[in-house]
Amino acid sequence: MAEYDYDLFVIGAGSGGTRASRVAAAYGAKVAVAEEYRIGGTCVIRGCVPKKLLVYGAHFAEDLKDARRFGWNVPECDFDWAVLRDNVLADVDRLNGLYTQTLHNNGVETFIERATVTGPHEVTLASGKTISAKYILIASGAHPHVPDFPGSELGITSNEVFHLDTLPKRVLIAGGGYIANEFAGIFNEFGSHVTMVNRTDVILRGYDHSMRDRLLQISLMKGIDFRFHAEFNSIEQNADGSFKVSLTKHEPFDVDCVVFATGRVPNTKGLGLEEVGVQIDSKGAVQVDADNKSSVDSIYAVGDVTNRVQLTPVAIREGQAFADTIFGGKPHQVDYNCIPSAVFSHPPLAAVGMTESEARNKLGSVAVYTADFRAMKNVLADRNERALYKMVCDGMTGKVVGLHMIGPDAPEIMQAAAVAVKAGLTKDAFDQTVALHPTMSEELVLMK
Ligand code: NDP
């Protein structure tokens, strides 16, 4: 008789958990996964995927306007939120089905209920069933953080935003990070009046200052309002259903919807981890080593629950590395150097490697090249919106150590350019590549 019910029990069927489960099962392990919400996790169900579809939907507002300059007779168009919302949610259902199918095709057993850890080799399902496993993988993800103040429960988060009954006329978005800037762009394009509220005057901390400044400038130009250095005093509901928002250092104002985009907290509360000796940090993240192993030998963790880099492709790599190492006899660790990232704001921005200030602090001698230009399409459309690319190089070797872009399709261009940066190429190598004309990305090989 086998010592354990399963070789691997995974808690959470998001990006990291699903990858680890199906790869481990493909190596011949007996695997089960518990998911308390929907298979697919944040990225597929209420994150990257539906968000990107809304970004596409929102961009039509500009495309329809610009089309007139390109000769198209575009009648006055209006936007039907319910149509887009329902189509996006239907696509989420489709993907949820595909993810479920993939797990089943690989022989992974699924339990659609909450599981908690009740021993180094034991989990207990919400139904009361206890299951033993040689290894337990925590891939329970994270949830939106909502600041605690009177009336904060009247706001929603990125979990609920995809399900709104109607499009709010006035929306307040709290935070200045990824989600805040992405949804500010989406709502603004749909025609809502957007006010962003941030505790400092820095948006997208961690991105290069020139990119942040450019996004702020374009966002203001597009009509997005900002309240900086603002903390929440309270939110109260008005008789007409709208909300009165009171902030420090600013006049109160009314909005129809408040969206909190103020960071995400690892899902470890009530999972029983500390009780079995798994170390959790002050932010609630599972502490793991480079092999994703926690302080308990049989318990591992990948993805947002470890609060290392909260990005889907990173969670997937961590899940893959875990399965390869433990079940595939191919031990390896995730390389966190030069991870490209993007913000799907309007316009989007993308980056890989060090910002200019990080490079100056780290390397001392730095050479910086930029291209500040209006995309050809924007010129004819009479859209006064400039793109900005910045290349940060090691002053001694010429090696590109950081690349930053804001402008149309920046994330699409960045994925290819990131290969060159990751490979350690120099500015010369970029310059030796003949420009592909006329494109925006040719600016990458023409930077001054
Ligand atoms: P971010 O960490 O990007 O931004 C959080 C924002 O909220 C910051 O402006 C932060 O301010 C502010 N904030 C944090 N705590 C408080 C508080 N207590 N009161 C007021 N403001 C606060 O988080 P998001 O929620 O936007 O996204 C979560 C994560 O999900 C991201 O970090 C990213 O890793 C991932 N994500 C990635 C996307 C992509 O790849 N395109 C898209 C969406 C999410 P301050 O700067 O002062 O700390």
Side-chain angles (χ1 to χ4, degrees):
M1 217 176 96
E3 195 182 347
Y4 301 105
D5 298 329
Y6 292 93
D7 298 312
L8 171 65
F9 195 96
V10 180
I11 299 184
S15 301
T18 302
R19 175 59 68 95
S21 306
R22 79 164 170 80
V23 174
Y27 284 131
K30 189 178 179 205
V31 183
V33 55
E35 167 58 56
E36 64 179 333
Y37 187 51
R38 297 184 73 188
I39 287 174
T42 302
C43 173
V44 172
I45 306 294
R46 48 195 181 187
C48 327
V49 171
K51 177 277 310 289
K52 185 72 185 282
L53 293 172
L54 293 189
V55 170
Y56 281 128
H59 203 73
F60 280 101
E62 294 187 359
D63 289 341
L64 286 166
K65 211 180 283 170
D66 294 352
R68 296 193 177 105
R69 291 276 306 168
F70 286 83
W72 290 92
N73 243 328
V74 182
E76 272 314 307
C77 293
D78 56 7
F79 169 67
D80 191 334
W81 160 253
V83 171
L84 178 61
R85 178 200 61 203
D86 292 350
N87 287 342
V88 168
L89 293 179
D91 205 49
V92 167
D93 289 345
R94 183 184 65 84
L95 289 168
N96 170 237
L98 283 179
Y99 269 67
T100 307
Q101 197 58 51
T102 302
L103 287 176
H104 291 167
N105 290 348
N106 282 277
V108 176
E109 212 173 317
T110 52
F111 296 95
I112 305 301
E113 57 186 304
R114 185 169 167 81
T116 52
V117 176
T118 40
H121 295 282
E122 185 188 84
V123 296
T124 300
L125 299 177
S127 58
K129 184 181 162 94
T130 56
I131 292 172
S132 65
K134 184 167 187 201
Y135 293 101
I136 297 170
L137 179 69
I138 310 299
S140 50
H143 64 275
H145 160 76
V146 175
D148 187 20
F149 64 88
S152 64
E153 72 283 359
L154 296 170
I156 61 167
T157 68
S158 56
N159 283 351
E160 295 81 26
V161 76
F162 299 104
H163 299 270
L164 283 173
D165 287 336
T166 53
L167 193 67
K169 285 201 171 61
R170 300 160 297 180
V171 57
L172 180 158
I173 300 183
Y178 282 83
I179 299 176
N181 281 284
E182 291 179 342
F183 275 95
I186 290 168
F187 279 116
N188 180 59
E189 297 292 323
F190 287 157
S192 302
H193 179 265
V194 177
T195 307
M196 288 181 74
V197 171
N198 199 15
R199 61 182 176 187
T200 65
D201 61 356
V202 177
I203 62 167
L204 292 173
R205 193 155 44 89
Y207 278 89
D208 188 88
H209 66 274
S210 308
M211 305 298 129
R212 300 191 315 230
D213 288 352
R214 182 59 56 95
L215 179 62
L216 180 57
Q217 181 200 336
I218 296 175
S219 299
L220 284 166
M221 211 168 65
K222 287 183 190 286
I224 295 173
D225 273 342
F226 288 83
R227 301 278 192 280
F228 285 132
H229 299 294
E231 305 270 349
F232 284 90
N233 288 327
S234 64
I235 303 178
E236 286 168 36
Q237 190 145 28
N238 297 319
D240 65 357
S242 65
F243 303 104
K244 181 163 294 304
V245 178
S246 164
L247 305 172
T248 56
K249 302 186 194 143
H250 296 272
E251 288 297 307
F253 58 101
D254 288 344
V255 293
D256 303 299
C257 180
V258 176
V259 182
F260 290 105
T262 41
R264 293 175 62 83
V265 187
N267 285 330
T268 48
K269 209 168 166 193
L271 266 192
L273 293 168
E274 281 161 305
E275 290 83 338
V276 299
V278 172
Q279 265 174 24
I280 306 285
D281 74 7
S282 59
K283 292 190 171 132
V286 179
Q287 296 289 279
V288 287
D289 63 15
D291 290 314
N292 303 297
K293 186 158 82 170
S294 78
S295 47
V296 174
D297 279 350
S298 55
I299 302 181
Y300 286 68
V302 296
D304 288 0
V305 76
T306 64
N307 200 22
R308 285 173 287 184
V309 182
Q310 289 187 332
L311 295 175
T312 298
V314 176
I316 291 172
R317 289 208 167 209
E318 289 168 355
Q320 179 83 41
F322 162 78
D324 285 347
T325 302
I326 302 295
F327 297 102
K330 292 184 263 183
H332 65 99
Q333 296 176 344
V334 174
D335 174 3
Y336 293 91
N337 191 31
C338 270
I339 296 170
S341 66
V343 184
F344 295 93
S345 43
H346 273 76
L349 61 86
V352 67
M354 288 188 254
T355 64
E356 183 181 340
S357 22
E358 280 167 355
R360 287 196 190 286
N361 286 338
K362 196 161 177 204
L363 305 174
S365 162
V366 164
V368 174
Y369 306 90
T370 57
D372 188 339
F373 62 100
R374 198 142 68 114
M376 199 187 220
K377 189 170 156 231
N378 283 348
V379 177
L380 195 76
D382 204 16
R383 185 171 285 286
N384 186 20
E385 209 177 290
R386 296 183 73 80
L388 179 63
Y389 295 178
K390 181 190 268 191
M391 185 181 273
V392 183
C393 300
D394 182 327
M396 304 301 285
T397 61
K399 187 175 146 181
V400 182
V401 294
L403 192 58
H404 310 274
M405 295 185 213
I406 178 168
D409 297 330
E412 301 289 345
I413 301 166
M414 181 57 83
Q415 179 67 81
V419 176
V421 179
K422 175 82 181 153
L425 298 191
T426 59
K427 166 83 164 68
D428 273 354
F430 275 76
D431 292 351
Q432 281 162 22
T433 307
V434 173
L436 206 165
H437 185 71
T439 61
M440 293 176 285
S441 49
E442 69 180 309
E443 299 292 341
L444 286 175
V445 299
L446 301 170
M447 281 202 214
K448 297 272 182 304

